Amino acid sequence: MAGFENHAGFTISSSKLQLVEVIYKNGQFMLGNIDEAYFSEPVNLETDKETKIISLLQGAFNELVIKNPLKSSYASFTLPFELFYMMQVPYDNTLLHQDLVEEFRWELSVLYPFAPHKDFTIQYIEVEKNNLIDFNSAIVIALARKYLQLTLNFCAGNNLKLKFVDNIHLASERALSISYPMTNRGIILSVYFNNKFLSLIFSVDGKPVRLKVIPLNDAGEIPALLLAETSTNPSFKISRGSINAAFITGDEISDTIIQTLKNALGIEFIYFNPFDKIKPEPALYDNKYFSEKFNSFSPAAGIAYRLA
């Protein structure tokens, strides 16, 4: 593809750095690398100083590139849920973009009074009135600019050019839509969870209409929370019977977890493979992350697949 540059996608968590690299070779997109490296100590992205975060990132990055040097000069990052501020609110579609952003900034300041709302970078997804929500709304996602600067500084120190920064579940959605074209039809539920958060995205004909992120005390809460979130209410007219397909991804998703959720909800969750539709370099067939832990790499894969 003319103009395509090799692209490395990274996922940063509190414990490790994950990498998925997409290259353009012999006239086709190929999966060039999948790997992960643990930090020498846990990192708190909210409270640790940037110097400590960069140092831990650099150590993990060095471990990755010593084993397999990057072929990419462009890099993108997905960041964990706790760094983002989200809401879904009605909106006036007659307002100009900048006026909408300032309106959302004010609403975020009310919802999150102690957050650095003046320093937010804000993106939003317009949701037109549909069968599930009977008013125009917007899914609003905000991130403090310091995290953009952190990734920019890291890239500058490693001769990389920063392309994108995104939320782990939204990035994972891109991998899902590429791997499973069926997600462009009907009502689709996408679930992402780790040991801190449960995230749900409902889409209609390929367009997100609802995003809900719920803090977790422990994984035992998940079946009851999913039952509640897939039951109709005055503002969201969903039913489990209307869901055409459901997908699940996240950290350490086991067959037992999937079966437990099926028993609780009566929904067959698909443990999706973000590498299902992309040809790998031959060496990757022996890579355990490609063959066994593919699901946990969906955010890094999704951000690596992103072109715009």
Side-chain angles (χ1 to χ4, degrees), residues 66-123:
I66 286 172
K67 288 191 289 182
N68 195 349
L70 285 185
K71 299 179 179 69
S72 305
S73 58
Y74 288 90
S76 295
F77 294 82
T78 71
L79 300 176
F81 293 115
E82 57 262 33
L83 304 187
F84 292 86
Y85 299 87
M86 302 180 217
M87 64 182 184
Q88 185 162 359
V89 292
Y91 83 108
D92 182 353
N93 58 6
T94 64
L95 291 177
L96 298 174
H97 168 76
Q98 193 55 43
D99 293 332
L100 264 178
V101 168
E102 291 310 311
E103 172 68 17
F104 294 149
R105 190 182 305 279
W106 178 82
E107 294 195 46
L108 285 163
S109 73
V110 174
L111 189 59
Y112 303 102
F114 301 107
H117 51 89
K118 292 182 180 179
D119 189 44
F120 279 161
T121 178
I122 295 172
Q123 77 173 95

Side-chain angles (χ1 to χ4, degrees), residues 18-53:
Q18 291 183 309
L19 163 67
V20 171
E21 187 174 19
V22 174
I23 60 175
Y24 195 66
K25 183 178 178 181
N26 299 327
Q28 62 181 328
F29 294 105
M30 295 189 70
L31 193 61
N33 193 10
I34 314 165
D35 207 348
E36 66 182 21
Y38 282 84
F39 302 134
S40 58
E41 62 179 280
V43 62
N44 188 319
L45 295 169
E46 295 177 274
T47 60
D48 285 342
K49 292 182 178 180
E50 180 177 320
T51 52
K52 176 182 177 180
I53 297 171

